[in-house]
Amino acid sequence: MDLSVNLGNITLKNPFMPASGTFGYGLEFAEFGDLSQLGAIVTKGISLNPKKGNKPPRICEVKGGMINSIGLENVGIDNFQEKLKKLEDLNTSIVCNFFGNTFDEYISVAEKLSSFRRVDVLEVNISCPNVKEGGICFGTDERMISELIGEIRKVIKKPLWVKLTPNVSDITKIAITAEKAGADALVVANTYTAMSVDIASRRPKIKNIYGGMSGPAIKPLSLYNVFRCVKSVSIPVIGCGGITDISSALEFLIVGARAVQVGTANFINPKILWNLIDDLNGYLSREKISLMELIGSLITE
Amino acid sequence: MKRINGKIIARKILAKDIFLISIELEEEFGNFGPGNFIMLGINDFENILPRPFSIYHAENKNIRLIIKTVGSVTGKLLKCSLPYEVSVLGPLGNSFPLIKGNNLIISGGIGIVPLFDLVNRINVECFFAGFRTKEEIFLVENINKISKIYLSTDDGSFGHKGFITDYLEDYLIKNRDRDFNIFACGPHPFLKKLWDIGKRLGVSSIFASFETYMACGFGVCLGCTVETPKGFVKVCKDGPVFNLNDIFGE
């Protein structure tokens, strides 16, 4: 079966890739399967300088999901360049997620990343606070998104994916803004702001009080966001949120996601991405439908 | 490190809130070191994340764990009807160094489990095992066959009365002219106390296994970070066995 998907200016061998932050820098999963078989590898979010991350506890489980506040811990772009060398021989696309604390930091990281030969796609995380503008999240402010994506677009030639935060009142406005500013594809969506309390100690279960929720419980929320974004923009949408098995992945494809990212499920079963490739093949042959026919085949009448 | 499906085929209560499960795996588990752990997954929407457990015993296609009932997953493992499908990822983390010398082991409660296998692999002068009360004692008979054991309960209902760390301290004071390696596992305050004793009496090294929440078990989620004066460490990958100097030392 042909599982390849076209995402505008790049074609992936299949629609399955990890979500940033759940797959390390790639090699951590080499023991579980051949990385070259994956649609793409999406690396942990990179910033200009190394980041220590937040104080523990950083994660907690909630029913059907988990909350994390890792604090974007990462090795910084210079160390990342070394790690990238180890992915040199992989026969799959490498998507590098990145972020900044300020406008200028975003631009510098984007410029540097795009100069690395092995980087195929840049995925920008806009769910970060702009420390120079009172800590407002870049991804919730249409003016900031427009300027940020516009400027990044000017300094890079490689495909630019924008990972949207779902913590906004109308995600389609953000999606349209990102498209107009020059995004090549949208990843819908990041985690949902959430908290959990330990009733014995009456303290938040996470040191940072709140974090981002992921896992199967958020799948219906992200599915709806993908559905709405697909109808609002003409660039490809990559679905992300709560995929743990083939049926949840199929739901995203049916509503129109051109590809999907799998996050928390990598912790539950590190072989999940490879299993999904096999299961999609099985589904398509059983249903006698091509992947292209399946994508966006939602019937609403 | 492998991820293997399996099923719990037997379960036995060992003490109050403590039980043993035997898991039949689809593949061989392979070799492991004392202190290595596994991530045990249950196929349950409410508890999606696998949980870390020390390895009590593993041979061929069988692995045995000793579990303390503390929350919803351990509660389900205690009550589920058998056979019960699970997944096992491991062996994970580092293990206790197999070194020669005057080796002492000290455990608090369920902390006895990762140390159990060590008795078979290194020369142990004495095993100090502490429990809260008589009903919670387990595994000590097996250790008694191999090593000298010193037992205490907080309430004095069995063995010596008081904290096991105090008895270890007495032992170290009586043998002040000798140098010891200490191997430990227990609750965080227990390990902190051990560190204070070791520092006061000049013990050269204390190796201890730590426990914390984690999502993946192999260094990817970055959720099991512990703060030390020297910076953050990951329990799953840098540990779970640490030289206490690296955790509490300046």
Side-chain angles (χ1 to χ4, degrees), chain A residues 28-259:
Chain A
E28 290 88 336
F29 280 74
E31 285 187 60
F32 299 110
D34 177 4
L35 295 170
S36 293
Q37 290 174 357
L38 303 179
I41 285 171
V42 183
T43 54
K44 176 144 187 59
I46 285 295
S47 52
L48 199 55
N49 300 310
K51 249 187 112 157
K52 264 179 66 182
N54 291 339
K55 288 192 170 200
R58 292 170 163 192
I59 56 165
C60 73
E61 188 182 67
V62 291
K63 282 180 186 173
M66 66 179 283
I67 302 174
N68 87 79
S69 178
I70 305 301
L72 295 166
E73 176 180 337
N74 78 91
V75 297
I77 195 150
D78 293 334
N79 295 315
F80 176 69
Q81 193 175 5
E82 290 305 306
K83 290 189 179 280
L84 206 53
K85 285 179 186 158
K86 295 180 182 153
L87 305 180
E88 197 67 32
D89 299 333
L90 289 184
N91 181 24
T92 187
S93 303
I94 296 180
V95 179
C96 293
N97 184 290
F98 71 100
F99 67 95
N101 295 311
T102 62
F103 200 89
D104 294 341
E105 252 183 65
Y106 268 103
I107 307 301
S108 313
V109 186
E111 258 184 318
K112 261 190 150 172
L113 265 184
S114 70
S115 73
F116 300 160
R117 198 183 52 79
R118 194 58 189 89
V119 175
D120 298 306
V121 177
L122 280 80
E123 179 186 273
V124 57
N125 173 4
I126 54 171
S127 312
C128 304
N130 183 345
V131 294
K132 283 202 176 151
E133 290 204 28
I136 302 168
C137 171
F138 280 97
T140 59
D141 186 293
E142 287 167 58
R143 178 188 59 84
M144 287 203 299
I145 292 173
S146 183
E147 285 175 19
L148 184 66
I149 304 304
E151 284 304 311
I152 295 173
R153 184 73 280 173
K154 280 185 203 160
V155 299
I156 68 162
K157 288 194 178 72
K158 290 179 177 173
L160 175 65
W161 296 356
V162 180
K163 186 167 183 178
L164 305 186
T165 169
N167 303 306
V168 292
S169 49
D170 184 354
I171 199 166
T172 61
K173 284 188 181 163
I174 309 289
I176 293 164
T177 305
E179 179 183 34
K180 278 187 188 153
D184 295 303
L186 303 176
V187 180
V188 180
N190 212 318
T191 54
Y192 294 73
T193 308
M195 70 183 285
S196 186
V197 172
D198 178 68
I199 55 167
S201 64
R202 280 186 272 133
R203 288 174 181 278
K205 286 189 182 169
I206 283 183
K207 182 77 177 173
N208 188 46
I209 301 177
Y210 62 91
M213 184 169 159
S214 59
I218 68 155
K219 189 209 64 189
L221 308 175
S222 271
L223 192 64
Y224 179 58
N225 281 327
V226 167
F227 171 74
R228 295 188 65 220
C229 287
V230 165
K231 294 215 283 191
S232 313
V233 297
S234 51
I235 51 175
V237 171
I238 298 154
C240 178
I243 294 172
T244 52
D245 53 19
I246 189 64
S247 64
S248 45
L250 290 169
E251 282 189 84
F252 278 94
L253 296 171
I254 290 167
V255 302
R258 209 79 69 86

Side-chain angles (χ1 to χ4, degrees), chain B residues 86-118:
Chain B
V86 293
S87 66
V88 169
L89 176 71
L92 301 168
N94 65 359
S95 53
F96 286 105
L98 304 177
I99 49 176
K100 288 184 179 143
N102 304 316
N103 295 329
L104 301 176
I105 296 183
I106 179 166
S107 69
I110 187 81
I112 196 168
V113 180
L115 297 163
F116 175 77
D117 194 44
L118 200 54

Side-chain angles (χ1 to χ4, degrees), chain A residues 245-281:
Chain A
D245 53 19
I246 189 64
S247 64
S248 45
L250 290 169
E251 282 189 84
F252 278 94
L253 296 171
I254 290 167
V255 302
R258 209 79 69 86
V260 292
Q261 294 190 345
V262 177
T264 301
N266 291 309
F267 304 149
I268 305 170
N269 175 7
K271 294 178 181 171
I272 177 92
L273 283 162
W274 291 274
N275 294 348
L276 288 172
I277 298 169
D278 293 342
D279 293 347
L280 179 63
N281 256 318

